[in-house]
Amino acid sequence: MCGIVGYVGAKFVDSVLMVGLERLEYRGYDSAGVATISNGELGFRKKAGKLKILDDNLKQSPLGGNIGIAHTRWATHGVPTEQNAHPHFDCKRVIAVAHNGIIENYTKLKEVLVNKGHVFISETDSEVIPHLIEENFNGDLKEAVLKSIAELDGSFALVILSEHQPDTIIAVRKKSPLVIGVGKDENLVASDESPILTHTNKMIYLEDGELALIKKDKVEVFDFTGKKIEKTVQEVDTKNEEFDKGKFDHFMQKEIFEQPEVIERILAERIGEDGLVHFKERKIKREFLAKVGKIIIQACGTSWHAALIGKFILEKYARIPTEVEISSEFRYRNPILVGDTLVMAISQSGETADTLAGIREAKAKFTKVWSFINVENSTIAKESDCAINMLAGPEIGVASTKAYTAQLMNLFLFTLYVARLKYSMSNEQVSAFALELKAIPNKIREILKQSEKIKIFAKEYAASPLMIFLGRGLNYPSALEGALKLKEISYMHAIGYPAGEFKHGPIALVDEKVGVVCVMPEGELFEKMISNVHEVKARKGKIIAIATEGDRRAAEVADSILYIPSCSEVLTPLLTVIPMQLFAYYIAIEKGCDVDRPRNLAKSVTVE
Ligand code: AGP
């Protein structure tokens, strides 16, 4: 939910930290702050609002030094103001702390500290941490930190900088991610690899319950009892340029246009020479998968939409009863999980708190967990019995696009894989299906060529008070996804609805100002969609149809039409979402919204 970065080495730390925060801004961007030590003195700068405000301020009056920590915030406790921005300090301002997570017992701790004379200036939970360290400090900073974190309930990734030990950053991990970058006479620590890759691709992944002392030429790791731990240094192959926009105006735009290559990469990795599907990194035995009697997929947001489509295809082709749950509901309803049930988690970030809690609920009931994640060393990956990388590549835009189509493609491939194990599809049927999947990337390329046309539509609808997205069957989740894209980056009121349900109330919303996107590719439900279109037109709603190339019927009834290339109905969700992604993108641009950093949101929702 927030982004943390720290650096110690020989470089000018202000710029290292600001570039690092830019890489992490997608995790939260309502305020930001930096603390460095220069000539033995702890200095800091904090600003509410976008990162650029802090950057401009630092350029005018730099802090300097070669060691520092920085933080970009998504507010949980306390509104986004300078006082509430991190880092936070002790009374003497010699201890600086940046925190990602939630301290659940901060009220009680704050009361005790205030009674001991500590003065607080923010409304945040995080500010109790530096005051606790100050209270516990008796000359040994590491010991003071260990004593203090023992008193904290909740989740915390911390970086701590202090005049008491001016050459060292202390990093602490409990239920919020932290990774250390090991450079040459320089070391870094951050919430994920993105700020580190500019300097090194050698990583040490901290686990929950670990504390690190990070100097420019040494990294030592301990458990929370103070016992030293040996850690391995891993080389990651993620390329630095994957974190750049390249020729695109926004990360979201880049990631929409990357989808053909992403799907080609997934297919190349998963479909073998034999034309069949393989998951080489699978860690759940084929024998278990062959006997799975039920699958429960739990996820949030866009990943939940992908899960809804997963249900259709798993039941249709693998004949496995499949339930889909929103993680924040699943985790609290004491689900009934029996021996042959497989729980599946889908999460781009691999850090979504509710989805992670859903996994822990499943594990507590001795149920196997298979996850699709997009971040290899994420917490969800570590806690699953089997974690499969969806291979979308780093997704920086807060609105998920390439990860969504990657999730769908992985769900199709997983379905083919288990369908073979259960003999519900023959090898020939699987190979034929896999061949159809291989045609999808070029079909997406065809749709992307319409981007200028979609841009024109977007201008027409940018002022609509409401956009409604309707779909049936496999494309009901597509309608949900189209609505979510639009609302989260353009702040326009948008709802996705099953088309057949629309007449049971929501149709009252329709008038001549309302735009209605009808997802109506060729298929067995097309006729039903035509009826829905007529129902809307009878109430003066404006229709945008997403239809199959060459379909005259949709063109006759719609005010605007966007075509997708022909393909089997079951594969249409891979294509119908593309025009809706572009539609949302161009409306947000038209409305002057910050597409990659939409208000109130963050890329990784690591709090409940
Ligand atoms: C999607 O555009 C949103 N950013 C959001 O709904 C997201 O899908 C959701 O928070 C789940 O994230 P995850 O896939 O990282 O778990």
Side-chain angles (χ1 to χ4, degrees):
M1 193 56 91
C2 300
I4 292 179
V5 60
Y7 173 82
V8 53
K11 291 170 185 156
F12 178 57
V13 73
D14 289 32
S15 46
V16 172
L17 294 176
M18 289 314 295
V19 169
L21 285 186
E22 274 162 32
R23 287 285 172 89
L24 291 171
E25 213 178 355
Y26 70 91
R27 298 174 65 89
Y29 32 80
D30 56 37
S31 59
V34 169
T36 76
I37 290 184
S38 176
N39 305 320
E41 291 223 346
L42 186 66
F44 73 94
R45 208 67 52 77
K46 306 201 280 189
K47 289 292 172 197
K50 290 281 188 319
L51 203 48
K52 189 166 176 348
I53 300 168
L54 177 63
D55 196 26
D56 292 346
N57 180 281
L58 273 172
K59 284 195 172 99
Q60 276 160 13
S61 53
L63 286 168
N66 305 109
I67 183 170
I69 61 174
H71 181 280
T72 184
R73 182 172 182 245
W74 187 88
T76 52
H77 294 71
V79 292
T81 60
E82 209 160 293
Q83 282 72 26
N84 290 335
H86 299 219
H88 289 290
F89 302 89
D90 64 321
C91 300
K92 301 186 192 68
R93 297 247 165 126
V94 293
I95 301 170
V97 178
H99 167 225
N100 177 23
I102 288 191
I103 305 302
E104 291 167 356
N105 61 334
Y106 84 97
T107 315
K108 186 163 66 56
L109 290 171
K110 187 168 180 174
E111 209 177 295
V112 170
L113 289 161
V114 166
N115 292 339
K116 288 182 175 174
H118 288 262
V119 176
F120 286 76
I121 57 167
S122 85
E123 307 156 317
T124 67
D125 54 329
S126 311
E127 194 182 1
V128 296
I129 302 168
H131 289 281
L132 262 182
I133 297 170
E134 176 182 26
E135 191 60 30
N136 290 318
F137 181 71
N138 286 317
D140 183 328
L141 187 62
K142 179 172 98 116
E143 287 314 311
V145 171
L146 285 169
K147 269 181 81 178
S148 304
I149 57 179
E151 297 180 53
L152 300 178
D153 293 341
S155 59
F156 44 90
L158 305 177
V159 284
I160 299 153
L161 187 66
S162 172
E163 288 181 9
H164 297 312
Q165 204 165 338
D167 66 343
T168 305
I169 293 172
I170 296 184
V172 181
R173 171 177 173 154
K174 183 186 172 198
K175 295 187 188 169
S176 279
L178 265 185
V179 54
I180 295 168
V182 182
K184 193 168 172 358
D185 290 332
E186 62 182 10
N187 290 310
L188 300 97
V189 57
S191 301
D192 64 33
E193 293 96 341
S194 54
I196 295 171
L197 285 165
T198 322
H199 307 275
T200 178
N201 68 342
K202 294 184 174 66
M203 308 288 167
I204 293 174
Y205 292 92
L206 282 187
E207 304 294 336
D208 282 355
E210 292 182 348
L211 172 148
L213 298 183
I214 304 167
K215 299 177 192 293
K216 70 174 184 176
D217 52 3
K218 187 162 77 167
V219 175
E220 294 174 291
V221 179
F222 306 83
D223 67 16
F224 281 3
T225 67
K227 184 166 148 292
K228 202 153 187 310
I229 303 171
E230 286 312 313
K231 300 285 286 183
T232 51
V233 178
Q234 301 178 42
E235 288 208 14
V236 294
D237 55 11
T238 312
K239 302 279 174 297
N240 190 30
E241 53 275 9
E242 294 195 49
F243 294 95
D244 283 325
K245 285 187 287 228
K247 66 179 185 337
F248 295 96
D249 298 331
H250 300 96
F251 279 109
M252 182 181 178
Q253 186 191 25
K254 175 188 173 199
E255 288 150 8
I256 290 172
F257 279 81
E258 270 178 343
Q259 291 178 104
E261 289 75 34
V262 167
I263 291 186
E264 281 166 346
R265 177 166 63 225
I266 295 166
L267 293 168
E269 175 66 25
R270 301 263 178 259
I271 299 178
E273 297 289 306
D274 56 4
L276 301 176
V277 178
H278 303 278
F279 285 96
K280 291 193 275 292
E281 67 278 46
R282 170 180 49 81
K283 291 195 176 58
I284 291 181
K285 287 194 172 18
R286 295 158 58 95
E287 294 68 31
F288 176 84
L289 292 172
K291 295 199 190 76
V292 162
K294 179 176 173 184
I295 293 178
I296 298 177
I297 315 177
Q298 54 110 14
C300 302
T302 286
S303 301
W304 176 67
H305 298 155
L308 291 171
I309 291 170
K311 169 186 170 66
F312 273 98
I313 53 182
L314 279 162
E315 292 188 343
K316 180 179 174 71
Y317 294 101
R319 309 304 299 156
I320 302 175
T322 302
E323 286 175 18
V324 177
E325 295 263 6
I326 288 176
S327 300
S328 52
E329 295 299 317
F330 175 74
R331 63 178 291 193
Y332 291 117
R333 69 171 185 78
N334 189 16
I336 299 168
L337 304 177
V338 294
D340 65 353
T341 298
L342 177 70
V343 167
M344 180 181 282
I346 301 176
S347 176
Q348 189 287 131
S349 63
E351 299 296 345
T352 298
D354 288 321
T355 307
L356 177 57
I359 286 179
R360 289 171 176 164
E361 178 71 12
K363 303 290 286 173
K365 295 176 189 268
F366 309 104
T367 305
K368 288 209 180 301
V369 174
W370 175 296
S371 295
F372 284 111
I373 44 86
N374 199 37
V375 179
E376 282 278 349
N377 295 287
S378 58
T379 310
I380 287 176
K382 289 190 180 116
E383 299 198 15
S384 301
D385 295 289
C386 173
I388 300 292
N389 190 327
M390 58 180 82
L391 300 175
E395 185 176 71
I396 309 300
V398 166
S400 189
T401 50
K402 64 173 183 174
Y404 176 68
T405 45
Q407 288 165 3
L408 294 185
M409 187 48 76
N410 277 282
L411 285 165
F412 275 107
L413 293 164
F414 178 77
T415 299
L416 297 178
Y417 183 74
V418 290
R420 261 191 70 224
L421 296 179
K422 290 183 151 304
Y423 299 102
S424 51
M425 286 177 82
S426 68
N427 286 0
E428 293 68 29
Q429 286 171 319
V430 168
S431 308
F433 200 109
L435 221 49
E436 269 211 83
L437 293 177
K438 285 182 176 175
I440 290 296
N442 282 337
K443 292 177 187 287
I444 292 179
R445 288 187 177 98
E446 284 308 303
I447 300 170
L448 292 172
K449 285 178 189 160
Q450 298 180 57
S451 61
E452 282 310 307
K453 178 180 169 188
I454 296 168
K455 191 172 176 179
I456 294 162
F457 283 157
K459 285 186 191 304
E460 271 177 55
Y461 288 89
S464 307
L466 165 68
M467 289 297 294
I468 296 170
F469 293 72
L470 301 178
R472 285 177 179 257
L474 272 160
N475 280 298
Y476 157 44
S478 304
L480 295 176
E481 177 60 12
L484 177 61
K485 286 292 86 67
L486 183 59
K487 71 181 86 167
E488 69 175 327
I489 62 169
S490 74
Y491 319 143
M492 184 187 278
H493 184 36
I495 56 169
Y497 230 81
E501 186 61 13
F502 192 52
K503 54 189 172 296
H504 299 284
I507 198 166
L509 292 168
V510 176
D511 63 24
E512 67 287 349
K513 295 190 292 300
V514 171
V516 182
V517 178
C518 293
V519 188
M520 48 196 296
E522 261 164 13
E524 60 185 73
L525 296 168
F526 178 80
E527 290 303 329
K528 302 292 177 205
M529 285 304 295
I530 287 280
S531 316
N532 292 131
V533 169
H534 285 302
E535 287 161 9
V536 170
K537 285 193 74 68
R539 289 149 183 90
K540 301 192 180 59
K542 286 175 71 178
I543 299 283
I544 301 177
I546 296 177
T548 305
E549 239 153 43
D551 169 8
R552 305 302 319 144
R553 303 264 316 271
E556 280 156 17
V557 295
D559 298 284
S560 320
I561 189 153
L562 293 168
Y563 286 114
I564 62 167
S566 172
C567 70
S568 301
E569 184 177 10
V570 72
L571 298 179
T572 54
L574 284 159
L575 302 183
T576 53
V577 72
I578 309 296
M580 293 190 281
Q581 292 170 344
L582 288 167
F583 186 70
Y585 173 72
Y586 287 120
I587 283 195
I589 300 291
E590 185 64 21
K591 295 178 64 142
C593 297
D594 188 337
V595 170
D596 285 332
R597 293 177 291 272
R599 71 184 182 197
N600 307 342
L601 297 180
K603 183 66 180 173
S604 174
V605 185
T606 55
V607 290
E608 299 177 13

